[in-house]
Amino acid sequence: MPDTPDRHPCTLSRDATTDPARLREIAVDVAVAAAAHVRARRPELFPAADPGARTAGAVRSKSTETDPVTVADTEAEDLIRRLLTRSRPGDAILGEEGGADAGSTGVRWVVDPIDGTVNFVYGIPAYAVSVAAQVGGTSVAGAVVDVAAGDVYSAARGGGATRTDAGGSVTRLRCNPVGDIAHALVATGFSYAPHRRERQGALVAELLPRVRDIRRIGAAALDLCMVASGRVDAHYEHGLQPWDWAAGALIAAEAGAWVRLPTGGGDDGEITVAAAPGVAAQLADLLATFGADAPIPA
């Protein structure tokens, strides 16, 4: 395993403030450092000269045989934890791969080192690093880095949301002004649990004739940022975990989206929704009509 702090140095100083704007800066710095590591590791783990090749031990199964985790996932989360602990030593951290570490400050960082691991494994350029700061279970700051594109999405509660592209150009994010659900481009995703997956497929069949089209990107954090930037008009998905939505949902909300979040940890299959305000009520009515506002058990 490479020496990640030396490879991608980050000069965060210790910081005790809970100001959302400062937490946003930290989230961006940490997510950018982790994204640089993920970007560098992919050609090492999956050599381009042989598309079918992969470094021994690069991938293993997690929740099911079709749910992978890679060496880069665990390395990136380790890097994020080290950087956050260095900058904010009393904060709690919840990560997809490493679980929960307790804290004493009232701030909890929620981390997805690679959202869209299947895309990462296959070389599909749609995977992201997601880092969010929560206070009292509510996201107050967050950053999502589209690793392949180099785009950095970020937000602070009450401070709006932006996208900074690879060239440094900053765009303030706003949802699309779409007003008819029939004209809405809707993103979704699917669970790795077969029963939930079957129900999700049936739901798409119900929804598809009533919207412009459906998109399945394979990374919920990016889907939520796409709602914020107007690249899609809505996103819904059952069974997302906090690390899937903690940063992206805040970014969508700060861009004007209507957002519905799970009340639990995600294992019960509750729905997450983010929609442009002009179609939010119509989408909510459609989902209720199909029974999709209820949890889908695994």
Side-chain angles (χ1 to χ4, degrees):
M1 173 177 169
D3 188 348
T4 48
D6 290 343
R7 184 174 192 169
H8 301 294
C10 188
T11 57
L12 292 173
S13 59
R14 288 178 177 248
D15 195 329
T17 182
T18 58
D19 173 51
R22 177 56 186 145
L23 294 174
R24 177 185 189 170
E25 293 174 358
I26 294 171
V28 168
D29 287 346
V30 170
V32 166
H37 176 74
V38 171
R39 192 179 298 115
R41 284 292 273 154
R42 195 185 184 282
E44 296 171 353
L45 296 173
F46 305 97
D50 182 357
R54 61 180 60 170
T55 301
V59 184
R60 61 178 174 82
S61 296
K62 194 166 53 173
S63 65
T64 71
E65 287 299 317
T66 55
D67 181 14
V69 60
T70 72
V71 170
D73 288 85
T74 53
E75 289 175 357
E77 184 165 322
D78 287 346
L79 173 59
I80 291 168
R81 286 175 180 272
R82 288 196 295 273
L83 294 175
L84 288 174
T85 300
R86 182 186 307 166
S87 177
R88 298 187 53 89
D91 292 354
I93 301 175
L94 172 64
E96 179 176 13
E97 309 307 336
D101 293 339
S104 58
T105 65
V107 175
R108 179 178 77 162
W109 294 89
V110 184
V111 173
D112 195 339
I114 304 179
D115 183 49
T117 299
V118 170
N119 289 343
F120 176 75
V121 170
Y122 278 79
I124 298 169
Y127 45 92
V129 175
S130 176
V131 178
Q134 294 186 330
V135 176
T138 299
S139 296
V140 299
V144 174
V145 180
D146 181 332
V147 177
D151 291 339
V152 180
Y153 299 87
S154 69
R157 183 161 295 277
T162 61
R163 178 180 68 237
T164 303
D165 67 21
S169 178
V170 179
T171 303
R172 190 170 181 87
L173 300 179
R174 297 301 300 172
C175 298
N176 277 335
V178 60
D180 185 344
I181 193 65
H183 298 158
L185 184 62
V186 179
T188 192
F190 304 110
S191 169
Y192 291 104
H195 173 76
R196 184 179 293 157
R197 195 176 183 87
E198 181 179 17
R199 176 71 182 97
Q200 288 171 320
L203 176 58
V204 166
E206 295 277 9
L207 190 62
L208 184 57
R210 296 165 174 83
V211 299
R212 183 186 297 274
D213 209 345
I214 297 287
R215 291 292 180 268
R216 196 280 202 258
I217 304 300
L222 289 180
D223 283 342
L224 292 163
C225 291
M226 285 169 37
V227 174
S229 65
R231 288 176 171 169
V232 298
D233 300 305
H235 166 77
Y236 77 92
E237 189 167 347
H238 292 82
L240 292 182
Q241 297 288 340
W243 46 80
D244 296 311
W245 55 257
L250 174 65
I251 293 165
E254 287 295 322
W258 174 80
V259 173
R260 172 178 172 177
L261 297 175
T263 58
D267 291 334
D268 58 358
E270 287 185 271
I271 196 169
T272 300
V273 184
V279 295
Q282 296 170 66
L283 178 61
D285 287 345
L286 274 180
L287 293 172
T289 298
F290 305 143
D293 54 347
I296 301 178

